[in-house]
Amino acid sequence: MAETSETCTGEVRPGGARESARRLWQLTVDGCSAAFEALHSKELESARAEADAAAADAAAAHARLREALEILPQGIVFLDNEGRYILWNQKYADIYKRSADLFKVGIKLEDTLRIGVARGDYPAAKGREEEWIRERLELLYKPGKQHEQVLADGRCILIEERQTSDGGIIGLRMDITGLKQREASFRLLFEDNPVPMFVLRRDTRAFLAANAAALSHYGFAREELLAMSLHDLRAARDEPTEDGVDPSETSVITSKHRTSNGRTIDVVVFSRQLDYEGTPALLIAVIDITERREAEARIAHMAHHDALTDLPNRVLFRQHMADALAQRARTGSLVGALCIDLDNFKLVNDTLGHPIGDKLLQDVAERIKRVTRQRDTAARLGGDEFAVLVPEVKAPQELAVLAQRLIDVVSEPYVTEGHVLTVGTTIGIAVAPTDGEDADRLLRNADLALYRAKADGKSTFRFFEPELDAQAQARRQLEIDLRCALAAEALEVHYQPLVDLTSREVVGFEALLRWPHATRGFIPPSEFVPLAEETGLITPLGNFVLRRACADASAWPAHIKLAVNLSPMQFRVGNVFTAVSEALKATGLEPERLDLEITESVLLDRTDQVIAHLHALRALGVRISMDDFGTGYSSLSYLRAFPFDKIKIDRSFVRDLPGNRHTLAIVRAILGLAAGLDMKVVAEGIETQADLACLAAEGCEEGQGFFFSEARPQSEVLKLLAETPRRQVA
Ligand code: C2E
Ligand code: MG
Ligand code: MG
């Protein structure tokens, strides 16, 4: 420590004090040398004592000065009038620690500068050394101004110089590196912050400062913005009383602002009190949440609207319904719910493809919207199901008028990508409060009415009636019973003989389902098969029949064939191929003995897939018959689409046959058609000798009907077959 202070202050301390004392002593000696001889040694002694005291005083003063200089936080240096070092403190030496070795009393600052510059102690001088030194010296001799200096290690020094009365210089040095860093951090935190930030007066809300992000986000020039206040930024539709910032110390508030081009943005404003250059101020940071809000709104819209037609979806429709019903309870008016279903829309989708189906749905939605009023809600509930909610109805008649108008408008032709399409529509109507006072019930009853309207022949509308509810409940009960019956295998399969009309021999049996119901007796398949189709029970039901019938048939003589009916739904939802092949495998029945009867409606949709299925089944060795021919669409193209083995003429023709010229012509045509296509013909519903005679005369090969036998249980079939192996019936 003593050594360091020795280095930085040269001989000044403590040798400096000694030297001063010595010089003083010399002076005294020289000045008094003449008198010396004459004076008494006593006087001399007192003079010496005085001189010693003066020297001690000077040394003490010097020491105090040094101590004072050492406790200064700044570096301090004294130069004489020629710029030579006289005195400096430790802090000064510390600041210039790279050059400290050069500081010597009597050395010129200029020289130490030169050496320092040459050594690269002053980065700013690099490349312009002489110029830099000149500038530095000019500042030294024209003092009074502060300037900054950056040292090689990155520290920043604030320099201030003062001239002393004797032409020397006192220089002050302050290490402001930390301050500079804080300034830079502040720039980074405020000015360069990517978040828009403002400083504003706490009293008037006038802007005092704004960062670059704020200017660019709001689109104002700095001067423009600094002439404004926060009130000017707030969007006009913002609550006028709301200030946009909370005056409490820190706050977070959402608000609406406007940008320079008038766009309204949703913002979250964070504010904090601070003192800005002596003014009570607020620092606010703004987060723009407009996009987030928009995205939220889009998501909310998506959750409540149908993507294809942009109509409200079922969720929103139910909400509107609940609102209208709540309102109704107050006003006492009626509320109408219309369930709208397109007739045969599936056909469009399946024949022309989904893009055209989608376009048609959009067009239908457009028309439905056009017919409804502003306060009505037109919704798409799914698929080809639409609905309209009519709040504030005075009389149900209004709903009837609306329904008819909807039917008329929707069924006008559509032109879609070169196709001219027409689609009918059927509507069910329910009215609150009579048909239900809550949304679910009203909608369900409108649906029941729709169901009825469809059963009544489509392209029409029906109001809900209480019987429909009873029917629906009965249907639900029936469904439950059917599930139980199926699970308990309480369904029976009976067999109706198929007879060779020439030889009158039984050549096979058609398996027909029978359901003995505990309370209702036998329920006909015409009632429960459609129910099974609607409820999805048809797959287990169909599989049950296949297994049971194949098992029963395997007990029959080998030349007796089995016919099993397949529902179109089994092609849509189940895997018919697997069901058939597994039934055959499980029972060991030869595939050649199995006939599968399908109706032409199987070919109505997904034709390619269905035909692939049919070919696969045929490849197993199974034969395929077209059942109920003559009813339905009877498109001849179906006969071309798949080479059926048999055509079954529907019993409605057979019943009419004797004596009806037209029916005869149709039956003849079918027979001719089948002969040409190498298909066998079976006539259904032969009830009389006359039917039989007529069909036989026309050359029909096979037939079935009550004339021969009704469908009978396996026990009776076995008995019949046992009586004579090749039994002729009737
Ligand atoms: P289908 O396949 O056309 O069956 C013939 C229907 O005509 C049977 O009615 C049969 O009892 C009836 N029938 C037969 N001969 C005569 C007659 O001389 N006069 C009259 N009036 N009717 C006669 P069923 O058993 O009531 O079956 C009706 C329909 O139910 C069947 O028509 C068939 O489409 C369907 N079905 C029956 N069993 C099954 C099955 O296991 N699966 C599927 N998917 N459908 C079945
Ligand atoms: Mg059949
Ligand atoms: Mg039939």
Side-chain angles (χ1 to χ4, degrees), residues 510 565 597 627 648:
E510 178 177 1
N565 293 284
E597 297 192 3
D627 205 353
K648 296 187 80 174

Side-chain angles (χ1 to χ4, degrees), residues 161 320 370 590 661 667 669:
E161 267 130 8
H320 284 197
R370 219 197 306 147
E590 296 84 39
R661 213 158 50 81
V667 169

